[in-house]
Amino acid sequence: MQDGVLCYNRGMKTNDIVYGVHAVTEALLANTGNKLYLQEDLRGKNVEKVKELAAEKKVSISWTSKKIPL
């Protein structure tokens, strides 16, 4: 998982995946994310901002190990 953060997009015919803190932040701001996965050991100011934004947008958050099956 690149940067430890990924987000699935809603409203697409296929499940598009966005990787990285900045890309996920943009997806959430655009109201396109519907599922957020965070790497278990990931911490920091940007991660906290993503978590707050996901909560505000009512996007579910799952903590996962570094490798997740897609």
Side-chain angles (χ1 to χ4, degrees):
M1 181 170 20
Q2 180 183 2
D3 293 338
V5 180
L6 68 90
C7 184
Y8 284 104
N9 284 340
R10 80 174 116 222
M12 302 290 179
K13 290 183 180 179
T14 61
N15 284 334
D16 288 337
I17 301 173
V18 178
Y19 297 91
V21 174
H22 299 292
V24 167
T25 299
E26 291 300 318
L28 292 171
L29 286 171
N31 294 315
T32 58
N34 65 349
K35 183 72 175 172
L36 177 63
Y37 291 91
L38 294 172
Q39 186 177 317
E40 290 173 336
D41 60 350
L42 197 64
R43 302 288 181 264
K45 193 169 44 171
N46 289 334
V47 175
E48 291 304 314
K49 289 179 184 178
V50 168
K51 286 172 32 184
E52 290 170 9
L53 185 56
E56 177 184 317
K57 301 290 184 172
K58 303 205 181 342
V59 171
S60 63
I61 301 172
S62 295
W63 293 93
T64 184
S65 62
K66 188 167 181 118
K67 293 184 180 183
I68 62 168
L70 294 178

